[in-house]
Amino acid sequence: MTSYNRRHVLKASAAFAGASALGFPAIVRAQASTIKIGHLVPLTGFLGAIGSYAQLGVKLAAEEINEAGGIMGRKIDLISEDSVNPATAANKAQRMIEQDGAAVLLGEISSASALTIMQVAERNKKVFFSTGARSDALRGKNCNRYSFHCDIPNTVMVNAVGTALNQKGLVKGKKFVTLTADYIFGHDLLKAAKSFFAANDATLIGDELIATDVTDFSPYLLKIRQAKPDVVCCNLAGNQVTNLVKQYAEFGFPYPLVGFNLNTGDAWAAGAGNLSGFWPTVWYHTLDNPASKAFVANFTKKYGKPPENHAWIEYVTLKLLAQAIADTKSTESEALIAHFEKESQFDIMKARKAYFRSWDHQLVQEAYPFTVKAKADMKDQWDMLVLGDTVPVASAPLESIYPNKEQNPCAMKV
Amino acid sequence: MQIVFLLEQVVNGLVLGGYYLLIALGLSLIFSVGGVVNLAHGAFYALGAYISVQLTGYIGFGPAVAVSPLLVALLGILFERYLLRRFYSADPILGLLVTFGLAMIVEQLIRIIWGAPPISAIMPQALKGSIIVGEFLFSRYRLILLAIVALVLLGLWLLLQRTSFGRVVRAGIQRPDMVAVLGIRLQPYMTTIVMLGVGMAALGGALFAPITIVHPAMGADVLIVAFVVVVIGGLGSFWGVVLAALLVGVVRGVTIHFMPAAGEASIYALMFLVLLFRPRGLLGERIEKFE
């Protein structure tokens, strides 16, 4: 038998094991055509699960646009890849612009990756639609005029859930423990949560920063029990929300678990009977309006399951981008920026129309708190959420739940 | 009170270590006997989880958790017979490449069969909740999990130490040439070891499915920790792996108690220290064929 040195084997194995942590390649590429759009979304890692929904949404939009003859006769060529991590995301974005000739960039869920893509967009003077990143800082101190933000920011999620929690008397005088994702998004969300607690007479008695690769939460759950809070609040993202929800149900703690961030995909993955409490969402497939119903029907027919909120935002964004290109008859960045800064209203499958606010480029829209359906009342595995009252109420302006000019330090260089 | 909280983390770490053990032990066994680091081990863990979730719909939770590892163990036989066997005496890099490739193929197959989004997995209501023993709180489910791990461990130990099968395997680890001279073919033994190893990984997946997210890349997540455990324990050592798994669980829990943000990093710091002072691992044996 040939013999090999143990050290040699160990070194090589460690290298491979490390490579597998970076994620296996998952690359999807559309065939060549005329308007090239660079699309990046995490398909691996802790946001990969919801990223897969995002990709389905953007592909459906591209297919529909192309089947209808494209934009001014030009077809969309969607170059869609796994963004992997912030550094890789930036490299890929640069390559898509430089070598693939992408006219516009679109996508992302991770706030950390969105931030690096925003810098690439600014450097290359190309427009980037950040579809799923929720950090306030992206549209605040890190904002730039080439970047547009489609999802609701952390502040809006906190306001949506906070309103519902206040109505149930779960805030004033209560003791909170938070579990926070240890990267830009989590830090940002914690900041929004802290100002909410301070404004509403709640005390934060414990906060755990949690690395994004944590899958077992049992040591943190023990610490929660030791702290004896009134309410436990989840400021995590992606797979970690699912893992926490499942393990929280496993331990069966009496303190209500609420959260300031959730994507429907994470809730579905947690399974019936595990999720409870109050959470925010940006869109849900049961919203009762014609545009939403048509989209849900088409999506479900094609993929055999209803769209998740990231599928929705990607679909909506590519559709409104296509409309903008058709209206301005241009894919030039300056023309597109000028068009969106006019604050024209878009139907985004909600009761009220939305618009990109001119001074910080974020899509101003409604949001919803939700509670969870009893298992017995669920029609199918996706029929899980009960939407609460839309925020803001119909009589209030949409911007009332968004940070105003004093609160949001966005200064764009022209 | 502080000391009780700390002890609670230690005990919880031991429970978690039991779960790491299920995956790491097979990895270590396959390497000891065959000399191949099975990077597809995580893929079998993922298959165990997916098949168990799928079967739960038809035969219920308990039977599904039992049947899924058996099915995956059968796959393990095919894996050994048609793939792994060719690489025992080859350059280790080939074994790594082929098992890494297999891991990618299985992950993509899972995407094709079950879809890229995670699937939901739940446990029976009766298994949920905590039990308080003295000052300590345990998740009821994890205690059951620990009992199963202990049984598996005992069975495996008896198999390796008290049967003629075990004697041949142990001899094969140290002196395959001698075993061959005695007229014993090691191959059927190797098939059994791989079957047991991937079966245990699948059992880990099936047991952990209700308390962790079930998604195509779940195998890659767990492989790293299992590999760290094997390195700390020392390749080829049964009790070394047991000790390392428990130690990793405890070190992680205690670190989280004092410095929550460093919880995951502590595992790698531990590996670093062990490699620095005991490059062969805590209880690693000197195995002639690897020196």
Side-chain angles (χ1 to χ4, degrees):
Chain A
M1 192 178 253
T2 332
S3 51
Y4 285 94
N5 181 295
R6 178 198 303 256
R7 200 172 288 262
H8 178 83
V9 178
L10 280 187
K11 254 195 286 187
S13 331
F16 270 95
S20 70
L22 294 177
F24 298 140
I27 298 175
V28 184
R29 191 180 277 256
Q31 70 278 33
S33 186
T34 42
I35 298 179
K36 290 203 163 85
I37 292 177
H39 180 251
L40 287 163
V41 83
L43 295 172
T44 47
F46 74 107
L47 297 169
I50 43 185
S52 63
Y53 283 107
Q55 201 180 46
L56 297 181
V58 79
K59 280 162 93 176
L60 179 64
E63 279 172 29
E64 285 183 10
I65 293 165
N66 288 341
E67 270 163 29
I71 308 168
M72 303 177 298
R74 295 167 72 191
K75 295 230 158 131
I76 287 182
D77 178 6
L78 189 70
I79 309 163
S80 179
E81 293 185 18
D82 183 358
S83 56
V84 186
N85 60 42
T88 309
N91 287 338
K92 287 190 170 184
Q94 182 66 35
R95 193 210 70 220
M96 284 173 168
I97 294 172
E98 231 167 41
Q99 292 175 21
D100 304 338
V104 183
L105 296 173
L106 187 151
E108 205 43 66
I109 294 173
S110 157
S111 292
S113 298
L115 182 58
T116 62
I117 300 174
M118 281 170 65
Q119 289 156 356
V120 172
E122 188 178 33
R123 218 166 37 233
N124 293 279
K125 298 190 168 19
K126 292 285 179 199
V127 172
F128 166 48
F129 286 88
S130 164
T131 47
R134 290 174 169 175
S135 172
D136 283 301
L138 302 182
R139 47 216 99 186
K141 74 175 191 320
N142 298 115
C143 74
N144 71 49
R145 67 186 293 268
Y146 294 93
S147 304
F148 289 82
H149 309 273
C150 310
D151 210 334
I152 46 175
N154 286 341
T155 300
V156 167
M157 292 196 292
V158 170
N159 285 340
V161 178
T163 311
L165 288 177
N166 260 329
Q167 284 166 1
K168 299 283 169 193
L170 278 172
V171 186
K172 199 171 155 52
K174 300 289 182 189
K175 289 180 294 192
F176 279 77
V177 167
T178 52
L179 299 169
T180 301
D182 196 2
Y183 75 111
I184 177 176
F185 161 79
H187 301 167
D188 201 310
L189 185 55
L190 180 62
K191 205 172 126 197
K194 276 180 174 165
S195 44
F196 171 78
F197 293 144
N200 292 278
D201 289 328
T203 2
L204 185 62
I205 58 165
D207 173 56
E208 307 284 342
L209 278 183
I210 293 178
T212 54
D213 57 347
V214 170
T215 49
D216 169 64
F217 286 88
S218 59
Y220 301 99
L221 294 177
L222 294 178
K223 289 188 86 176
I224 288 175
R225 173 172 166 261
Q226 292 156 7
K228 297 197 169 49
D230 295 312
V231 184
V232 179
C233 178
C234 165
N235 289 336
L236 300 170
N239 288 0
Q240 292 197 297
V241 178
T242 309
N243 280 331
L244 176 70
V245 163
K246 284 176 114 170
Q247 290 166 26
Y248 203 84
E250 176 207 347
F251 276 81
F253 282 168
Y255 333 108
L257 175 69
V258 304
F260 287 138
N261 176 50
L262 187 128
N263 291 291
T264 331
D266 308 328
W268 289 335
N274 282 333
L275 187 69
S276 60
F278 295 85
W279 304 77
T281 189
V282 60
W283 179 84
Y284 192 53
H285 67 280
T286 57
L287 278 176
D288 192 12
N289 63 68
S292 192
K293 281 182 163 165
F295 166 61
V296 173
N298 287 340
F299 189 98
T300 312
K301 193 173 149 209
K302 186 165 171 64
Y303 299 115
K305 58 190 168 207
E308 198 256 5
N309 56 281
H310 284 288
W312 159 80
I313 194 73
E314 296 259 343
Y315 178 91
V316 163
T317 304
L318 186 54
K319 281 291 176 86
L320 62 86
L321 172 62
Q323 190 58 47
I325 294 175
D327 289 350
T328 58
K329 299 190 174 48
S330 170
T331 57
E332 291 302 316
S333 303
E334 290 307 321
L336 290 174
I337 293 171
H339 178 80
F340 286 111
E341 282 187 347
K342 279 190 292 196
E343 300 198 347
S344 10
Q345 307 255 334
F346 308 104
D347 181 353
I348 60 162
M349 310 177 186
K350 296 185 178 187
R352 287 159 83 172
K353 288 187 171 177
Y355 58 90
F356 282 103
R357 194 155 67 169
S358 61
W359 59 271
D360 64 358
H361 286 185
Q362 62 177 325
L363 191 64
V364 176
Q365 60 188 303
E366 295 170 313
Y368 316 86
F370 73 82
T371 50
V372 184
K373 242 181 210 178
K375 203 171 164 183
D377 299 336
M378 286 171 56
K379 281 201 302 266
D380 51 47
Q381 63 186 104
W382 297 285
D383 180 30
M384 206 171 198
L385 317 189
V386 185
L387 295 186
D389 297 336
T390 310
V391 288
V393 290
S395 56
L398 280 178
E399 289 193 29
S400 61
I401 52 169
Y402 279 73
N404 60 29
K405 258 190 174 147
E406 280 82 59
Q407 293 156 335
N408 190 24
C410 167
M412 286 188 195
K413 289 190 294 258
V414 181
Chain B
M1 216 41 197
Q2 194 62 28
I3 191 76
V4 173
F5 290 162
L6 192 60
L7 267 178
E8 194 172 50
Q9 291 291 5
V10 170
V11 175
N12 183 64
L14 293 175
V15 176
L16 187 67
Y19 151 71
Y20 293 149
L21 190 54
L22 270 185
I23 297 127
L25 209 48
L27 194 63
S28 171
L29 267 179
I30 293 171
F31 177 77
S32 305
V33 186
V36 178
V37 174
N38 178 22
L39 291 174
H41 213 62
F44 289 105
Y45 163 86
L47 277 180
Y50 270 91
I51 294 175
S52 149
V53 172
Q54 186 76 53
L55 289 179
T56 299
Y58 303 103
I59 56 176
F61 181 73
V65 169
V67 170
S68 157
L70 296 179
L71 293 178
V72 175
L74 293 180
L75 283 179
I77 296 178
L78 299 179
F79 166 56
E80 198 280 335
R81 177 69 188 78
Y82 294 103
L83 205 60
L84 209 56
R85 183 169 290 185
R86 295 160 202 273
F87 296 92
Y88 294 149
S89 46
D91 185 332
I93 197 77
L94 294 179
L96 290 174
L97 275 174
V98 81
T99 53
F100 188 69
L102 181 68
M104 289 167 77
I105 291 171
V106 172
E107 188 181 321
Q108 287 306 325
L109 274 179
I110 291 177
R111 275 180 221 276
I112 292 167
I113 299 172
W114 285 284
I119 59 170
S120 71
I122 48 177
M123 66 172 94
Q125 198 63 33
L127 299 182
K128 285 185 189 169
S130 327
I131 297 173
I132 294 174
V133 184
E135 299 279 355
F136 301 134
L137 176 124
F138 296 97
S139 134
R140 180 173 298 157
Y141 186 75
R142 280 177 209 229
L143 282 186
I144 298 170
L145 204 148
L146 189 65
I148 295 173
V149 172
L151 280 178
V152 168
L153 199 61
L154 180 70
L156 193 65
W157 186 81
L158 287 175
L159 183 69
L160 289 176
Q161 298 295 326
R162 293 280 182 268
T163 63
S164 57
F165 171 85
R167 273 192 291 280
V168 176
V169 170
R170 280 182 295 135
I173 292 176
Q174 287 296 344
R175 296 298 299 268
D177 45 351
M178 234 11 224
V179 176
V181 166
L182 291 171
I184 301 169
R185 277 179 70 236
L186 262 178
Q187 282 184 346
Y189 291 88
M190 195 53 212
T191 311
T192 316
I193 286 295
V194 172
M195 187 190 85
L196 285 173
V198 303
M200 280 194 288
L203 179 63
L207 285 172
F208 236 57
I211 53 178
T212 192
I213 185 163
V214 181
H215 67 118
M218 66 190 293
D221 296 347
V222 81
L223 180 69
I224 310 283
V225 183
F227 186 68
V228 168
V229 166
V230 172
V231 170
I232 293 176
L235 287 165
S237 163
F238 183 85
W239 291 112
V241 175
V242 175
L243 182 67
L246 300 180
L247 195 62
V248 163
V250 170
V251 165
R252 181 173 174 268
V254 171
T255 310
I256 288 173
H257 184 75
F258 292 109
M259 261 179 80
E264 302 310 291
S266 67
I267 298 175
Y268 304 100
L270 179 67
M271 176 169 84
F272 174 76
L273 283 177
V274 168
L275 284 181
L276 206 58
F277 293 107
R278 280 195 66 88
R280 200 175 273 170
L282 290 178
L283 300 180
E285 289 171 35
R286 183 175 179 277
I287 300 175
E288 208 169 290
K289 65 182 177 192
F290 299 134
E291 295 296 327

